[in-house]
Amino acid sequence: MGALLGAVLGVAFSALGGVAPEPVVLLVLAAATGIAALLLQRIMIILSTSFAGSWSMVIGSAYFVTGRVNPADMEGLFRLDQRLLYLLMGSWVLLGAAGTVVQLKTTKARSRQGN
C-alpha cells in the first residue's frame, strides 16, 4: 500500500504541474513510501487507505457527474481544464484528510508486548 501511495502521489502532482509523470520519479516515490510503510506501518496503512479510497470516490463521482473524466485513462487528467483539475485534487485531499482523522480516532494503536 505504501508504494501505491507514492505512485498515486507522483501521478497527481504531475497532473497538477501539467507534465507527464517521469517513470524514475514514480519509482523513487514508490520506493520511499514503501520503505516508510515498513517503518511506520499503522500510519502508512491509514494514509494509504484514506487517500486511495478518497481518490476512487472523487474520480468515480467526477466520471458520473461530468462525463469528462475517465477513471481508466490517467493520461486524460492532463487534458482537463485547470479549474476541474484543482477541484478534483482539492476534493481528494480534503476527503483523504477526513478519512485519516476518522481512522486515527476510531482505531487503537497496538501496544508492544514484551517477551
Side-chain angles (χ1 to χ4, degrees):
M1 288 302 283
L4 176 63
L5 176 65
V8 169
L9 287 174
V11 170
F13 290 130
S14 296
L16 284 175
V19 296
E22 291 290 328
V24 173
V25 173
L26 293 179
L27 287 172
V28 169
L29 279 172
T33 55
I35 291 169
L38 291 174
L39 300 174
L40 307 165
Q41 287 183 0
R42 177 176 181 259
I43 190 67
M44 287 304 292
I45 289 170
I46 289 173
L47 285 171
S48 297
T49 57
S50 295
F51 282 91
S54 65
W55 178 253
S56 297
M57 191 171 167
V58 166
I59 287 296
S61 298
Y63 173 74
F64 287 111
V65 171
T66 67
R68 295 186 300 167
V69 177
N70 182 357
D73 181 20
M74 290 301 288
E75 193 173 310
L77 286 175
F78 302 111
R79 294 186 297 272
L80 294 176
D81 62 47
Q82 286 298 101
R83 288 188 332 188
L84 179 58
L85 182 60
Y86 283 118
L87 177 66
L88 293 176
M89 294 300 163
S91 300
W92 174 51
V93 169
L94 288 174
L95 282 172
T100 300
V101 169
V102 167
Q103 287 187 59
L104 285 172
K105 291 200 177 276
T106 59
T107 60
K108 294 181 182 178
R110 269 194 293 182
S111 62
R112 301 237 177 217
Q113 305 265 335
N115 289 336

